[in-house]
């Protein structure tokens, strides 16, 4: 049987031949030379004139049962052979009936009486067309091609087999059609394949007589074809079923279609890594990026990325990892037209990234959706035309993945980008990140995963888990110099020495006895070497220590520091005062005039954003901050000081240390960055180990975080129907990071035993239904989820509190008090916050006595009467999934909005815009910008003029964000309209 590819090619040629056969004859058209002129059997008879084609559809073999019934086809073949032989003959005879008379042509004239420079066909005397030599050459080629096009498939396959070696495949595209034809024509035009001795007999006197010529003449092509076709007819037909032939041909077609689809999945729409030049312009305008670093180019051109393989890449902090991720994201959104999920560790970073990419979304036509805090919709709206970039925290990203799996839309997600991938090894949040990635890997084979981090060590385990390639580079745009300060001596970190340190210098700063007592760690000496001309960060162990350090530094700074950008500092204080409804933190009020502030989670979102913007613009030159800023927003500094090698009471880990010092050095501004770790003599050996030790390994936390880890995963696997039997659950668990590291982590019990214990525990709690048998052959018993279990995993409730929360909500339905929000606030307070809550019970009692009678009744209902105030307080967040709690849905939705923004109702639409804080929202509202539509259609220049202390950059950002939000809302409404008009698939119909 012929191979499927050949069968496809034969069909395409025959189809084209039939189309030509069906084409109507044009008036006055000249008949084919083959049809017009056919030599007789003796070779010298009169020309046989054949009528032109009338355009009627012919049978594959010309309408005859046998090639013996009509010799028109064979006559055409013989004529073509005759022409080819005559064209290569140099004995002076004219080819066919045409006499070539050009002496310069090198062809001998057959008739000596013919005049010198004319070419006169005999048919000219009969009114035929004149043909010159060049036309003849081209005509022969066209004649051969047209003849082969009209051949039936058996003869065409014969020529193809002569033109191709056995098993050879033809290249795709046009070559698939032209290559076999051309190779066959070469065989026909050259007599050598058929006449082995022809090469030695090409002179005009090779054959002395006609009789000898006839005697030596080998078998003609006509006779060869006739004998071959007769042999084929007599040969036994291969017993291959037609169904099998059709199946193989269909498989070949499907493979070709799949290959074309793969090639077309990435649509190159421009010169900038497949993206339009507009993207490059936007990076230049919005980010000030003129060109990429060499490593960024190399990474983007990796073969693994071109093949859509998963990738992990690792570089030092400030190396430019995020830019690579953003270009890959834009390729997925614009070139492949698929949605993207970007997972970031903290709410602040999500908000910063949303602000940064909203302008790209507006300009390039995609949506940027925030999934952090109270924002995000589950499942996300399925957009009609535009694609979405979901930017989410770890927790929201997990909920988003669950909703996409539940609605069978996980394949819509083309790309998942994870920043700070090392967080896989950090507690319950790491367990949740591992769960999300494992679900994506297991349920979608079309979703690419990109992970990046500055601090990875056991990359091999992560590669196995994510089935990923790995790229690393030590590039830093600004050189980093590491130092350690012990007493008044500064040592340079040097891994080549025995103890890891080399002496650098002594501090040159005169301390009075009073100052020595106030600042024993010489922080003032270290910061005054760089500020106010350059920026500086001081990482402190606790929030309280941040405030103390900022306050202490300002007490001993010279008054000259106040003069630096004084007007902008006053504007910042005014802005903070507006945010605080007329009040400002006393510490900030004291420190900001000196260009100093603190930065930690105790600040409100609005205060934090204002301080970050002031620092980025150079108004503030020194920030005292906690370790969370190291992995948070991008706030680089000329010098980074680590106040102590501790985070709270825990000694620094190597990855924490690397992230903190990685903030030193601002690309394009500083020539070098410095980090100084302040250590006490007693910690010297610990610090030596810290700076010279390798990075910590990343281990799965699914076993350590039972209720938030493996039990939560098992519950959601059954709830989402990813795995509903013990065996399926085991298969899934083998694809997790825990499955990769099970030999290291589960030493007491096997992974199978851990899974079985977890499932039994969930059944016991009433979250799952089913039965686990001791025998392996009954491991196929199907597990199902209960309504309480479904509400628990969809609400991301800690399994340790789900039953308690259910009882509280049930009790609330008996007498929910709505005269104030106190009852709802109690129900919405997370239980795990109570452990960190240490109220002053006298103040608590005083506040209780100021409550209204209805609010005191709430305290009674929830079990906190006045007599019990000093003993108990608790609560938990809620998500409406159980139908019996439907009443909470509307109540909590409105409460959530009010708690999120803590502003008057009329300001809430403005507060949704990125970059708009409470004070700014009041300014905009009072200036007449009262709705989202007002802001989306505002002129940034007008905003700058009408709104006090609003920069041009901030105005553009506000307008871009408002446009993005408006676009999202319009898309959502359009989706609802289309959903309303959609005809239900299960509509009853009459037979």
């Amino acid at each position: 049987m012929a191979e499927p590819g050949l069968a496809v090619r034969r069909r395409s040629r025959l189809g084209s031949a039939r189309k030509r056969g069906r084409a109507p004859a044009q008036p006055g058209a000249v008949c084919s030379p083959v049809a017009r002129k056919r030599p007789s059997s003796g070779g010298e008879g009169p020309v046989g004139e054949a009528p032109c084609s009338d355009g009627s559809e012919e049978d594959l073999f010309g309408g005859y049962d046998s090639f013996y019934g009509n010799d028109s086809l064979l006559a055409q073949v013989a004529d073509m052979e005759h022409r080819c032989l005559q064209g290569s003959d140099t004995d002076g005879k004219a080819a066919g009936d045409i006499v070539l008379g050009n002496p310069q042509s090198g062809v001998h004239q057959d008739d000596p009486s013919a005049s010198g420079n004319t070419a006169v066909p005999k048919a000219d005397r009969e009114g035929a067309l004149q043909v010159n030599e060049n036309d003849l050459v081209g005509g022969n080629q066209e004649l051969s091609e047209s003849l082969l096009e009209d051949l039936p498939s058996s003869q065409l396959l014969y020529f193809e087999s002569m033109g191709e070696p056995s098993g050879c495949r033809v290249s795709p595209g046009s070559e698939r059609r032209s290559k076999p034809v051309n190779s066959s024509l070469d065989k026909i035009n050259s007599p050598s394949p058929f006449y082995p001795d022809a090469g030695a007999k090409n002179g005009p006197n090779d054959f002395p007589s006609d009789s000898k010529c006839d005697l030596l003449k080998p078998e003609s092509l006509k006779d060869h074809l006739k004998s071959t076709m007769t042999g084929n007819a007599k040969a036994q037909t291969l017993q291959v079923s037609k169904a099998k032939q059709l199946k193989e041909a269909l498989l070949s077609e499907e493979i070709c279609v799949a290959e074309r689809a793969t090639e077309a999945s990435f649509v190159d729409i421009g010169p900038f890594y497949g993206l339009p030049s507009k993207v490059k312009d936007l990076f230049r305008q919005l980010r000030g990026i003129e060109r990429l670093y060499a490593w960024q180019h190399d990474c983007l051109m990796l073969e693994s990325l071109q093949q859509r393989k998963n990738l992990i890449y690792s570089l030092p902090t400030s190396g430019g990892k995020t830019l690579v991720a953003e270009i890959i994201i834009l390729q997925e959104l614009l070139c492949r037209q698929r949605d993207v999920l970007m997972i970031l560790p903290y709410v602040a970073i999500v908000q910063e990234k949303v602000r940064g990419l909203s302008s790209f979304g507006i300009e390039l036509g995609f949506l940027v959706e925030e999934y952090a805090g109270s924002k995000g919709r589950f499942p996300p709206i399925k957009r009609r035309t535009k694609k979405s970039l979901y930017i989410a925290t770890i927790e929201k990203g997990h909920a988003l993945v669950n909703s996409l799996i539940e609605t069978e839309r996980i394949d819509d997600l083309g790309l998942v980008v994870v920043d700070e991938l090392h967080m896989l090894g950090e507690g319950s949040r790491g367990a949740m990140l591992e769960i999300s990635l494992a679900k994506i890997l297991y349920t979608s084979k079309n979703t690419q995963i990109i992970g990046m981090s500055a601090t990875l060590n056991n990359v091999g385990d992560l590669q196995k888990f994510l089935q990923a390639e790995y790229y690393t580079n030590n590039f830093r745009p600004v050189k980093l110099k590491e130092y350690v300060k012990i007493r008044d001596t500064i040592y340079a970190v040097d891994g080549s020495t025995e103890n890891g340190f080399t002496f650098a210098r002594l501090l040159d700063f005169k301390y009075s006895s009073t100052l020595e007592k106030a600042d024993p760690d010489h922080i003032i000496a270290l910061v005054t070497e760089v500020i106010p001309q350059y920026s500086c960060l001081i990482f402190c162990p606790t929030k309280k220590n941040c405030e103390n350090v900022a306050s202490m530094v300002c007490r001993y700074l010279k008054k000259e520091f106040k003069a630096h950008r004084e007007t902008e500092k006053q504007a910042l204080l005014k802005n903070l005062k507006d945010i605080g409804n007329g009040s400002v933190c006393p510490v900030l009020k004291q420190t900001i005039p000196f260009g100093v502030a603190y930065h930690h989670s105790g600040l409100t979102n609005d205060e934090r954003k204002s301080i970050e913007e002031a620092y980025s613009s150079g108004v503030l030159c020194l920030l005292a901050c906690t370790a969370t800023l190291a992995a948070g927003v991008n706030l680089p500094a000329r010098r980074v000081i680590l106040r102590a090698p501790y985070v709270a009471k825990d000694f620094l880990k190597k990855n924490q240390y690397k992230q903190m010092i990685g903030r030193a050095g601002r690309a394009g501004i500083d020539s070098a960055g410095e980090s100084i770790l302040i250590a006490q003599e007693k910690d010297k050996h610990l610090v030596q180990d810290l700076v010279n030790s390798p990075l910590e390994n990343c281990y799965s936390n699914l076993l350590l975080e039972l209720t938030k880890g493996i039990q939560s995963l098992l519950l959601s696997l059954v709830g989402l129907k990813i795995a509903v039997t013990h065996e399926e659950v085991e298969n899934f668990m083998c694809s997790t990071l825990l499955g990769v590291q099970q030999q290291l982590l589960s030493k007491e019990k096997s992974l199978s035993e851990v899974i079985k214990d977890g499932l039994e525990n969930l059944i016991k709690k009433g979250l799952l239904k089913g039965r686990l048998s001791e025998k392996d052959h009954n491991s196929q018993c199907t597990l199902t989820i209960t309504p309480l279990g479904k509400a628990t995993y969809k609400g991301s409730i800690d399994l340790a509190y789900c039953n308690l929360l259910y009882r509280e909500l049930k009790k609330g339905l008996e007498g929910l008090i709505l005269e104030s929000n106190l009852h709802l606030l109690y129900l919405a307070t997370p239980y795990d916050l109570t452990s960190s809550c240490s109220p002053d019970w006298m103040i608590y009692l005083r506040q209780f006595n100021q409550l209204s009678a209805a609010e005191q009744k709430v305290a009674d209902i929830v079990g906190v009467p006045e007599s019990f105030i000093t003993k108990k307080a608790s609560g938990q967040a809620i998500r409406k999934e159980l139908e019996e709690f439907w009443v909470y849905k509307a109540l909590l939705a409105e409460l959530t909005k009010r708690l999120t923004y803590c502003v008057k109702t009329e300001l809430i639409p403005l507060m949704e815009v990125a970059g708009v804080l409470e004070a700014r929202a009041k300014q905009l509202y009072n200036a007449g910008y009262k709705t989202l539509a007002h802001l989306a259609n505002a002129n940034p220049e007008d905003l700058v003029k009408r709104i006090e202390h609003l920069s041009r950059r901030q105005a553009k950002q506000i307008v871009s964000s408002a446009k993005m939000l408006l676009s999202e809302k319009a898309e959502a409404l359009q989706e609802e309209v289309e959903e309303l008009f959609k005809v239900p698939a299960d509509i009853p119909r009459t037979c």
Side-chain angles (χ1 to χ4, degrees):
M1 178 183 153
E3 72 176 14
L6 293 175
V8 174
R9 291 197 296 272
R10 285 204 304 274
R11 285 198 297 272
S12 66
R13 289 197 185 90
L14 290 171
S16 62
R18 286 172 181 164
K19 287 177 184 177
R20 283 192 296 275
R22 288 193 293 270
Q26 298 296 326
V30 180
C31 297
S32 166
V34 176
R36 185 177 70 245
K37 182 169 53 194
R38 185 179 299 131
S40 64
S41 58
E44 296 176 0
V47 176
E49 295 295 327
C52 294
S53 171
D54 60 358
S56 62
E57 184 171 351
E58 296 179 356
D59 181 71
L60 190 64
F61 285 90
Y64 294 92
D65 295 332
S66 167
F67 60 84
Y68 288 111
N70 176 31
D71 66 344
S72 61
L73 172 66
L74 296 174
Q76 292 178 38
V77 173
D79 180 71
M80 184 182 67
E81 178 191 20
H82 185 62
R83 288 176 177 276
C84 292
L85 292 175
Q86 290 293 344
S88 62
D89 192 0
T90 58
D91 62 358
K93 290 185 178 182
D97 291 332
I98 301 176
V99 181
L100 297 176
N102 191 345
Q104 282 82 17
S105 66
V107 180
H108 295 282
Q109 296 181 23
D110 186 47
D111 186 2
S113 64
S115 58
N117 293 325
T118 58
V120 184
K122 289 182 182 180
D124 189 67
R125 293 190 296 272
E126 301 171 6
L129 296 173
Q130 292 188 1
V131 182
N132 60 33
E133 180 186 353
N134 294 332
D135 291 337
L136 177 63
V137 176
N140 280 342
Q141 185 176 356
E142 293 173 4
L143 171 66
S144 302
E145 291 179 358
S146 64
L147 178 60
L148 283 176
E149 292 283 5
D150 291 320
L151 284 175
S153 59
S154 57
Q155 277 74 34
L156 186 59
L157 182 59
Y158 168 74
F159 285 126
E160 288 175 347
S161 65
M162 291 168 56
E164 297 178 7
S166 176
C168 179
R169 291 188 179 271
V170 183
S171 59
S174 60
E175 290 180 16
R176 184 172 291 175
R177 175 184 174 101
S178 63
K179 189 174 180 181
V181 175
N182 293 338
S183 61
S184 300
L185 285 174
D186 292 340
K187 298 289 183 182
I188 295 169
N189 291 333
S190 173
S192 58
F194 301 104
Y195 314 111
D197 298 328
K201 298 176 182 177
N202 56 2
N205 298 318
D206 285 340
F207 301 105
S209 67
D210 291 337
S211 60
K212 186 173 182 179
C213 181
D214 291 336
L215 182 65
L216 297 176
K217 185 177 180 180
E219 183 183 24
S220 69
L221 177 59
K222 171 181 173 181
D223 293 335
H224 187 87
L225 282 174
K226 289 170 71 174
S227 63
T228 302
M229 293 171 68
T230 304
N232 287 343
K234 291 179 180 178
Q236 185 177 358
T237 306
L238 291 173
Q239 298 300 314
V240 181
S241 68
K242 195 165 185 177
K244 186 176 180 182
Q245 295 179 37
L246 186 61
K247 185 177 179 181
E248 290 189 12
L250 186 62
L251 180 62
S252 176
E253 279 294 314
E254 288 176 349
I255 290 171
C256 291
V257 169
E259 288 175 350
R260 288 195 298 269
T262 302
E263 291 170 1
S265 62
F266 182 90
V267 182
D268 192 323
I269 56 175
F272 185 66
Y273 301 98
L275 295 165
S277 298
K278 187 175 184 180
V279 174
K280 188 176 181 180
D281 295 337
L282 286 172
F283 277 117
R284 183 184 298 113
Q285 294 168 13
L286 302 175
R287 306 279 182 83
I289 298 171
E290 293 290 340
R291 61 179 63 85
L292 270 62
Y293 298 126
W295 83 262
Q296 292 171 327
H297 172 77
D298 293 343
C299 187
L300 288 168
M301 299 306 292
L302 286 174
E303 187 178 351
S304 54
L305 278 183
Q306 312 306 318
Q307 296 175 357
R308 284 185 60 74
K309 293 181 180 178
N310 297 341
L311 176 69
I312 299 170
Y313 64 99
S314 176
L315 282 98
T317 302
S318 303
K321 298 183 297 296
T322 305
L323 178 60
V324 170
E326 288 176 352
I327 291 174
I328 296 171
I329 286 169
L330 294 176
Q331 287 175 341
E332 194 70 27
L333 290 165
L334 304 180
C335 302
R336 294 190 177 93
Q337 289 290 304
R338 298 181 70 190
D339 296 333
V340 177
L341 168 61
M342 188 176 196
I343 299 177
L344 303 171
Y346 304 114
V347 174
I349 312 177
V350 170
Q351 292 170 340
E352 182 189 36
K353 190 57 64 181
V354 168
R355 289 197 300 270
L357 290 176
S358 289
S359 298
F360 284 84
I362 292 294
E363 295 292 334
L364 300 172
F366 62 87
L367 300 172
V368 179
E369 301 186 39
E370 180 181 339
Y371 279 77
S374 62
K375 293 187 178 181
R377 179 167 175 167
F378 304 101
I381 299 170
K382 188 174 176 64
R383 307 296 181 181
R384 294 177 305 114
T385 53
K386 293 184 178 181
K387 297 303 169 185
S388 292
L389 168 57
Y390 310 114
I391 304 180
T393 57
I394 292 171
E395 293 78 10
K396 287 285 187 174
H398 177 232
L400 182 64
V401 168
N402 281 348
S403 69
L404 290 173
I405 293 172
E406 185 179 26
T407 54
E408 298 181 349
R409 287 170 50 195
I410 190 66
D411 282 328
D412 292 349
L413 208 57
L415 175 67
V416 176
V417 175
V418 182
D419 195 7
E420 309 297 350
L421 187 64
H422 61 271
M423 290 197 73
L424 277 167
E426 295 187 11
S428 60
R429 304 193 78 216
M432 192 170 290
L433 180 58
E434 180 181 347
I435 291 170
S436 301
L437 294 176
K439 286 176 180 175
I440 293 167
L441 288 166
Y442 194 83
T443 59
S444 175
K445 303 304 178 188
N446 300 318
T447 303
Q448 184 182 19
I449 296 176
I450 305 290
M452 53 181 171
S453 174
T455 55
L456 289 177
N457 193 21
N458 57 331
V459 180
D461 288 351
L462 300 182
Q463 280 186 268
K464 288 180 185 176
F465 167 44
L466 296 177
Q467 304 157 33
E469 303 288 320
Y470 179 57
Y471 176 87
T472 187
N473 196 301
N474 292 322
F475 172 82
R476 268 189 62 94
V478 178
K479 186 179 179 181
L480 175 62
K481 299 175 182 177
E482 296 180 47
Y483 298 97
V484 174
K485 188 192 85 67
I486 301 175
R487 295 181 180 172
D488 60 349
T489 306
I490 296 178
Y491 300 91
V493 175
D494 186 356
S496 62
T497 61
E498 185 177 350
N499 62 1
F501 296 157
T502 57
F503 174 81
R505 62 187 177 93
L506 292 172
L507 277 177
D508 184 19
F509 190 88
K510 293 180 180 180
Y511 269 74
S512 64
S513 57
T514 306
L515 185 55
E516 186 73 38
K517 290 179 182 178
D519 182 23
D521 293 323
H522 309 105
I523 292 174
I524 294 174
L526 294 174
V527 300
T528 51
E529 289 178 347
V530 290
I531 66 170
Q533 287 80 15
Y534 301 103
S535 56
C536 182
L537 293 175
I538 304 177
F539 284 103
C540 304
T542 65
K543 290 187 284 188
K544 188 64 178 174
N545 192 237
C546 290
E547 297 177 24
N548 291 340
V549 166
S551 182
M552 182 272 297
V553 168
C554 292
R555 278 201 303 271
Y556 295 99
L557 283 179
K558 295 179 181 178
K559 292 183 179 180
E560 287 80 1
F561 281 89
K562 287 187 174 183
H564 181 73
R565 303 185 69 167
E566 186 175 2
T567 306
E568 287 114 314
K569 291 172 186 173
Q570 293 303 319
L572 174 60
L573 276 172
K574 185 177 183 304
N575 188 27
L576 290 172
K577 188 174 181 180
D578 292 339
I579 291 170
N581 292 318
S583 63
V584 182
C585 168
V587 175
L588 292 177
K589 192 173 183 180
Q590 174 204 352
T591 61
I592 285 177
F594 289 91
V596 179
Y598 63 83
H599 184 289
H600 58 60
S601 59
L603 295 170
T604 65
N605 284 340
D606 295 349
E607 289 171 338
R608 191 163 58 247
K609 287 177 187 174
S610 295
I611 288 172
E612 287 168 4
E613 288 179 359
Y615 177 82
S616 297
S617 61
V619 175
L620 297 177
C621 55
L622 174 64
L623 286 185
C625 52
T626 53
T628 52
L629 186 140
V633 291
N634 186 26
L635 297 176
R638 172 66 173 269
R639 175 175 288 180
V640 168
I641 300 171
L642 280 67
R643 171 71 176 75
Y646 292 89
V647 173
K649 296 178 181 179
D650 300 321
F651 197 79
L652 265 183
K653 294 179 181 178
K654 183 60 179 275
N655 61 5
Q656 292 173 323
Y657 170 73
K658 282 290 185 184
Q659 282 191 318
M660 290 180 190
I661 67 172
R663 293 295 170 194
R666 297 169 298 171
I669 301 175
D670 300 327
S671 57
E674 298 174 341
S675 71
I676 301 176
L677 170 58
I678 299 174
Q680 305 301 318
E681 191 69 43
K682 62 183 179 66
D683 293 327
K684 183 175 181 179
H685 294 296
L686 291 174
V687 170
Q688 285 176 335
D689 292 339
L690 172 68
V691 298
N692 294 297
S693 64
L695 292 165
E696 292 87 2
N697 287 334
C698 183
Y699 293 116
S700 171
N701 278 270
L702 287 181
L703 286 182
L704 299 176
E705 299 288 335
L706 281 178
T707 57
K708 290 183 179 180
I710 192 165
Q711 288 189 16
S712 176
L713 171 58
L714 296 176
L715 181 65
S716 64
L717 287 180
V718 177
L720 294 168
K721 299 180 181 178
I722 296 172
V724 294
T725 67
H726 186 268
E727 183 181 355
E728 289 175 352
V729 171
E730 278 198 33
N731 289 338
F732 178 92
M733 292 301 298
C734 289
S735 65
T736 62
L737 182 59
L738 173 62
V740 172
Q741 298 174 333
Q742 58 182 298
Q743 300 301 324
L744 296 171
L745 302 180
S746 52
K747 295 178 181 177
E748 297 178 1
K749 292 182 179 180
S750 68
L751 185 59
S752 179
E753 290 173 328
V754 171
I755 292 168
K756 186 179 178 184
D757 290 349
L759 291 173
E760 286 177 344
N761 192 284
L762 293 173
I763 292 170
K764 196 180 296 182
K765 284 184 175 181
L767 303 176
L768 290 181
K769 287 190 295 185
R771 188 175 177 183
L772 296 177
S773 175
E774 296 291 335
K775 298 179 181 178
D776 290 338
H777 64 268
N778 285 332
S779 64
Q780 295 298 324
C781 176
T782 301
L783 298 166
T784 56
I785 194 164
T786 64
L788 178 59
K790 186 177 181 181
T792 301
Y793 92 79
K794 293 189 76 171
S796 300
I797 306 298
D798 189 337
L799 270 61
Y801 303 118
C802 60
N803 287 305
L804 175 59
L805 175 60
Y806 178 79
R807 291 195 298 270
E808 294 276 9
L809 294 174
K810 193 79 173 172
K811 188 175 181 181
L813 288 180
E814 296 173 5
L816 187 64
I817 296 175
L818 300 176
E819 288 185 33
S820 74
N821 288 326
L822 186 59
H823 204 164
L824 290 175
L825 280 170
Y826 168 77
L827 294 172
T829 303
Y831 286 107
D832 51 10
L833 288 184
T834 58
S835 60
S836 60
C837 181
S838 302
D840 183 321
W841 293 110
M842 289 305 296
I843 296 175
Y844 194 96
L845 180 61
R846 208 160 40 240
Q847 292 296 318
F848 177 85
N849 290 329
Q850 292 177 11
L851 296 177
S852 65
E855 290 171 333
Q856 289 187 1
K857 187 178 179 183
V858 171
D860 248 2
I861 290 173
V862 300
V864 192
E866 187 173 356
S867 59
F868 196 60
I869 283 178
T870 57
K871 296 180 180 178
K872 186 179 180 182
S874 64
Q876 172 65 33
I878 175 176
R879 177 183 171 87
K880 184 264 174 189
E881 279 298 333
L882 294 166
E883 291 302 318
E884 58 191 297
F885 297 143
W886 61 270
V887 69
Y888 289 120
K889 184 177 182 180
L891 294 173
L892 290 176
E894 185 60 32
L895 178 65
T896 300
K897 274 190 176 181
R898 294 183 63 183
L899 287 176
T900 300
Y901 301 114
C902 296
V903 295
K904 293 180 180 178
T905 307
E906 63 266 20
L907 296 181
I908 288 178
L910 300 178
M911 293 291 291
E912 292 178 351
V913 178
V916 174
L917 316 178
E918 182 183 2
R920 186 74 74 208
K922 288 177 181 178
Q923 285 180 311
L924 291 167
Y925 190 87
N926 293 333
Y929 300 99
K930 300 184 177 183
T931 66
L932 204 57
H934 284 143
L935 284 181
N937 292 285
N939 185 332
E941 296 299 328
D942 290 342
L943 283 176
V944 172
K945 292 175 183 176
R946 296 171 66 90
I947 306 300
E948 194 177 359
H949 305 305
L950 182 68
S951 69
R952 198 167 272 98
R953 181 183 63 84
Q954 291 171 322
K956 288 179 179 178
Q957 189 179 74
I958 287 172
V959 172
S960 292
S961 177
K963 284 181 179 178
M964 177 63 71
L965 281 171
L966 205 60
S967 178
E968 287 179 17
K969 290 178 184 292
E971 287 277 337
L973 290 172
Q974 189 63 42
E975 286 292 333
E976 289 183 22
V977 170
E978 290 193 358
E979 196 64 33
L980 285 172
F981 283 102
K982 188 184 292 183
V983 178
D986 57 349
I987 189 170
R989 300 183 186 277
T990 55
C991 297

